[in-house]
Amino acid sequence: MTDNKNTLSERKSLLIDINLIKKLKNKILKTSLIVIFLMVSVGPAFAQSDATLDRIVSQIESLYPPIEGYVIAVEGSGLTLDLKRGMAVKKGDRLKLIRYGRELFHPVTKKKVGRKETDLGEVEILEVRKDFSHARATNPTVLPKEGDGVRSPFQKLTFLVAPPNIKTRKKLDADRLRYNLEKKLNENPRFEVPAFDFGLWMADEKLNETTALKPKNLSRLKRKVDADLILIPNVRTTKGKMVLSYRLVSTKDGSLQKQAKVLSDDLPAQEARRESRRGTQTSFEAKKKLFKYIDKEQLPYEVVDFDVGDINGDGKNEYVLIDRYRVLIYRLKKGKLRKIGQMKVNKAINHFMGVDVGDINGNGRDEIFVTNRMGDKLSSFALETKRGKKGFNHVWKDVNLYFRIIRPFGAKPTLLSQSPGYDNPFLGPIKKVVYKNRRYMQGQKLNTPDVHGTHFILYGLTQVDLSGNKIKDTVILDNSYHLRVYSPNGRVVVKSDDYYGHDPRLIDIGVKEDVVGVVQQGEPVRYKNRLQFVKNGSQRFLVLPKNYTVGEGFLNRLVIVENSGLAILGVTREGFEKVFESNKQKGFLGAFRVVPRKGNAGADVHILRTEKSFISSDASSGMSTFSTYFWKAE
């Protein structure tokens, strides 16, 4: 009886095991089918085969093959090598000279791994003949002998990839094709593609494929990025088949190194809903109007900048305005400014450039950080209100730094700083400022991407996690006042067609000029306003200035702003979309702030416009208008 019970128990156990195995098998099968389905159903934008690009990279690599040969004869200082006509060697080439030694074997497998090598220096090719070459040792003290080896040094080539020129009815994703080419080149150990957008450079310089290759423009390109070759891809349809052709051009003199055609039916197709995430977004579309006018106030002097914060710790906002030598504190009531205090310095030697408000020392009261120019250097400072008293304390004085506070989407304020140079307005990296051991000090560098030819400055810059992956993108107004977004690896994912900013003010600290105004050292830097990322209701936005200029401001020292407004871009998973542009008003937009109301009940939008006489540098020569609007949350 006991045996029968055991047998029954074993059968039940076996059935359970079999059922479990079947369930696991079905689960694995379903998972496998899902994976196969995903692999098959991936859109054509991501389904491009590597075969076409591998062929192109192989063709390019064949132009610069490694050369290896031997010394077959020595006659005085002359050498005869077994390198001959038809090989990738020419007069003037320099090769490494190697003395071979004993053979080397792996200590475990006992297999031969090579020979011991001693570098002797270099040889220079003097002449290439049908069956051999003449050469000489560059170091006369070296005594080569027959059997020594010669080898080309490891050559690292740097490529720039131009935007593909596509002339076909089939809609192709040009940005993805360029990205795939760059990626494939980077995978070759001898090739490198720097984080430099050649297409954007051409657009900024107003060049095309032909004019970019002129000697003067190649010289300008060399000052921006150190590259050896430019790859210019083109796509055509020939007899119903897709042809990817390319030209390989030297950045040294614009000479053509190679051109070829490759048949390909697997080029990445355009996929509209994901286009901006894969490539570089360039345009936005406006939707509707958002602002409700509250009030405005004219100030009989030029306001340089303003910021908003709780400077006395009472839970209410104060408005901190600066002109050239005064810090002015206001309360806002029904759209009107009511002055409650001020601090001023010597007007003759001080020139305020910017003001930022934020609680950096963590005591519950926002400090006021003023960027101040004194002669040809900075003498910036920080103020703080006295607890329970009127007036200010200087909590940081005589600071040779520019200041700017960023707080994207209402995050904790981050104080950025940057140094002026000796012959340029900005020098070195942007660094965060921290408060430690009862003092302010520069901390770690801001993690900006390494982009060839680009020196980031703290004005017109912020950082924010746009994609939700906890990695911050760098958002800037570039030198041409286009909005750009750089990924952490330096790839441009947004570059606006529209111009934003075009502020008429210049920063020329450290710039030296002669009496006729010709710059001898350094170049002035155009001032760039804030970029403010805000939350309003359940949505996210980027707010930025929009100044309309005469002639788009191509002359650096002559930017005349006719009128200005404010632009609001909605932040989406795929980039930006234009939501609203305020009506144009006379004067340039000197500063703005969006201040969210409590309880997610919308936001107040404050815009400061200035009409200034550019003939006089006196602060009294201009006047400012402070306007307030209400932006209802949705």
Side-chain angles (χ1 to χ4, degrees):
M1 187 72 179
T2 305
D3 292 340
N4 290 336
K5 286 184 178 179
N6 290 339
T7 303
L8 182 62
S9 176
E10 288 173 0
R11 286 178 180 176
K12 288 182 178 180
S13 177
L14 181 60
L15 286 172
I16 292 171
D17 290 342
I18 291 172
N19 289 332
L20 181 61
I21 290 169
K22 285 182 178 180
K23 288 180 180 179
L24 288 173
K25 186 178 179 181
N26 289 335
K27 189 173 183 180
I28 291 169
L29 180 60
K30 288 179 181 179
T31 305
S32 300
L33 288 172
I34 291 170
V35 171
I36 292 170
F37 173 77
L38 288 173
M39 292 174 66
V40 173
S41 63
V42 170
F46 296 94
Q48 181 184 4
S49 167
D50 287 342
T52 301
L53 304 187
D54 284 336
R55 198 177 313 161
I56 291 174
V57 173
S58 296
Q59 289 175 355
I60 295 173
E61 189 174 28
S62 67
L63 285 177
Y64 309 97
I67 299 296
E68 191 161 4
Y70 291 90
V71 176
I72 57 177
V74 179
E75 297 177 5
S77 61
L79 308 175
T80 302
L81 312 178
D82 65 348
L83 306 179
K84 57 186 178 181
R85 195 175 300 164
M87 300 177 71
V89 63
K90 63 183 182 301
K91 180 181 177 180
D93 285 351
R94 292 198 171 196
L95 308 175
K96 293 175 66 176
L97 181 63
I98 301 164
R99 176 72 44 83
Y100 294 114
R102 62 183 177 84
E103 293 181 340
L104 300 174
F105 295 89
H106 194 282
V108 177
T109 64
K110 307 302 180 183
K111 290 183 179 181
K112 181 180 175 180
V113 294
R115 286 185 292 176
K116 183 177 175 61
E117 297 179 357
T118 303
D119 292 339
L120 302 179
E122 290 184 331
V123 299
E124 180 183 4
I125 303 297
L126 303 177
E127 183 184 13
V128 181
R129 293 196 173 187
K130 181 181 177 182
D131 298 311
F132 55 86
S133 298
H134 289 308
R136 69 174 183 88
T138 57
N139 185 349
T141 63
V142 172
L143 300 176
K145 64 181 183 180
E146 294 178 9
D148 286 344
V150 290
R151 182 188 300 151
S152 58
F154 181 84
Q155 187 178 15
K156 189 85 170 180
L157 297 174
T158 303
F159 292 80
L160 300 178
V161 180
N165 184 9
I166 297 177
K167 291 188 176 180
T168 176
R169 291 182 179 180
K170 185 176 180 180
K171 292 185 178 181
L172 299 179
D173 190 335
D175 287 320
R176 170 57 60 174
L177 175 57
R178 185 186 59 174
Y179 172 77
N180 289 348
L181 280 167
E182 291 176 347
K183 181 181 178 183
K184 188 58 65 175
L185 287 166
N186 267 325
E187 289 174 356
N188 189 297
R190 295 179 57 210
F191 297 161
E192 180 183 14
V193 180
F196 179 85
D197 197 316
F198 180 64
L200 292 183
W201 176 80
M202 286 197 298
D204 290 344
E205 300 293 334
K206 296 178 174 55
L207 302 173
N208 55 35
E209 288 180 7
T210 302
T211 57
L213 301 180
K214 291 184 176 180
K216 65 176 183 179
N217 293 326
L218 288 175
S219 297
R220 291 160 62 188
L221 178 64
K222 276 288 189 183
R223 291 194 291 269
K224 285 284 187 179
V225 60
D226 186 15
D228 303 299
L229 299 160
I230 301 172
L231 180 67
I232 305 174
N234 296 275
V235 180
R236 301 286 187 275
T237 301
T238 303
K239 296 181 179 181
K241 293 187 176 181
M242 202 76 65
V243 177
L244 173 59
S245 62
Y246 67 91
R247 289 185 296 143
L248 195 64
V249 178
S250 169
T251 59
K252 183 178 179 181
D253 54 12
S255 60
L256 182 65
Q257 303 295 299
K258 184 178 178 64
Q259 59 182 0
K261 297 179 180 179
V262 179
L263 286 174
S264 178
D265 289 325
D266 55 4
L267 298 179
Q270 196 175 76
E271 191 177 355
R273 68 187 180 86
R274 290 187 178 179
E275 179 182 2
S276 62
R277 286 184 66 81
R278 293 199 312 273
T280 303
Q281 185 186 9
T282 58
S283 62
F284 320 116
E285 293 296 331
K287 282 190 175 181
K288 54 188 175 181
K289 293 187 176 182
L290 296 181
F291 290 177
K292 178 183 177 182
Y293 173 74
I294 295 179
D295 210 335
K296 69 179 179 180
E297 187 168 355
Q298 289 192 330
L299 304 169
Y301 52 87
E302 179 191 348
V303 177
V304 174
D305 194 12
F306 81 96
D307 204 356
V308 183
D310 180 9
I311 65 171
N312 58 15
D314 64 355
K316 299 178 181 179
N317 281 327
E318 284 77 39
Y319 290 71
V320 183
L321 283 66
I322 59 168
D323 63 8
R324 298 298 182 185
Y325 68 102
R326 293 180 297 173
V327 178
L328 305 150
I329 313 299
Y330 292 87
R331 277 279 172 84
L332 191 70
K333 293 185 178 180
K334 297 182 179 180
K336 291 292 186 181
L337 293 170
R338 299 290 181 262
K339 187 176 177 182
I340 58 175
Q342 77 170 32
M343 190 280 296
K344 62 181 180 180
V345 296
N346 190 324
K347 180 180 179 180
I349 61 174
N350 291 275
H351 184 113
F352 292 173
M353 299 171 60
V355 64
D356 294 88
V357 176
D359 184 11
I360 303 302
N361 61 18
N363 66 359
R365 289 171 287 140
D366 289 351
E367 302 100 278
I368 301 171
F369 296 89
V370 178
T371 302
N372 177 39
R373 175 175 184 168
M374 186 178 289
D376 201 33
K377 70 180 186 68
L378 292 175
S379 182
S380 303
F381 56 88
L383 302 172
E384 190 174 63
T385 56
K386 300 175 182 178
R387 188 180 295 276
K389 298 181 180 179
K390 294 183 178 180
F392 300 95
N393 285 329
H394 273 88
V395 291
W396 201 11
K397 298 174 65 175
D398 300 324
V399 187
N400 190 31
L401 294 172
Y402 299 95
F403 292 138
R404 175 69 5 127
I405 286 178
I406 60 173
R407 45 168 72 81
F409 300 127
K412 182 180 178 181
T414 300
L415 177 60
L416 306 180
S417 65
Q418 195 168 19
S419 300
Y422 295 102
D423 56 3
N424 285 290
F426 294 88
L427 177 69
I430 301 169
K431 294 184 178 181
K432 299 178 182 179
V433 173
V434 296
Y435 186 77
K436 190 175 182 180
N437 299 327
R438 297 187 178 182
R439 57 189 293 261
Y440 299 90
M441 63 183 70
Q442 282 187 302
Q444 63 183 4
K445 294 192 303 182
L446 193 68
N447 187 24
T448 53
D450 184 15
V451 180
H452 287 266
T454 300
H455 182 220
F456 291 101
I457 67 172
L458 79 175
Y459 294 131
L461 174 146
T462 189
Q463 286 193 328
V464 64
D465 174 13
L466 289 174
S467 58
N469 59 4
K470 298 183 180 180
I471 300 175
K472 291 184 178 180
D473 299 301
T474 300
V475 186
I476 68 166
L477 288 178
D478 66 17
N479 292 335
S480 299
Y481 287 91
H482 294 291
L483 174 69
R484 294 196 192 195
V485 179
Y486 287 95
S487 66
N489 63 4
R491 178 169 172 77
V492 179
V493 294
V494 172
K495 189 261 188 183
S496 66
D497 288 333
D498 288 349
Y499 292 89
Y500 298 98
H502 272 117
D503 201 296
R505 295 170 288 184
L506 285 173
I507 301 172
D508 58 359
I509 292 174
V511 174
K512 307 297 180 185
E513 300 180 5
D514 67 9
V515 292
V516 295
V518 178
V519 176
Q520 300 297 309
Q521 289 180 293
E523 287 286 349
V525 173
R526 181 74 57 196
Y527 183 82
K528 298 171 186 177
N529 217 310
R530 290 178 174 87
L531 302 175
Q532 189 176 357
F533 281 95
V534 299
K535 286 183 179 179
N536 193 3
S538 60
Q539 299 181 21
R540 303 188 303 167
F541 302 91
L542 169 61
V543 186
L544 65 169
K546 181 81 172 178
N547 284 327
Y548 302 87
T549 65
V550 176
E552 296 293 1
F554 293 133
L555 297 176
N556 194 42
R557 285 191 168 277
L558 183 61
V559 172
I560 300 174
V561 177
E562 295 179 296
N563 42 52
S564 59
L566 205 63
I568 295 183
L569 306 180
V571 180
T572 71
R573 289 186 176 183
E574 300 180 3
F576 298 103
E577 59 181 5
K578 189 177 293 181
V579 175
F580 172 69
E581 279 189 11
S582 64
N583 293 330
K584 297 178 183 179
Q585 300 288 333
K586 190 176 181 182
F588 73 88
L589 197 154
F592 73 92
R593 282 302 306 271
V594 179
V595 183
R597 291 187 176 181
K598 292 182 178 180
N600 202 19
D604 292 311
V605 181
H606 308 290
I607 301 175
L608 180 73
R609 291 185 179 89
T610 297
E611 297 177 57
K612 177 176 170 57
S613 170
F614 291 96
I615 300 175
S616 172
S617 60
D618 191 345
S620 62
S621 65
M623 61 179 295
S624 297
T625 302
F626 186 89
S627 303
T628 300
Y629 302 84
F630 174 63
W631 178 7
K632 185 179 179 180
E634 292 188 3

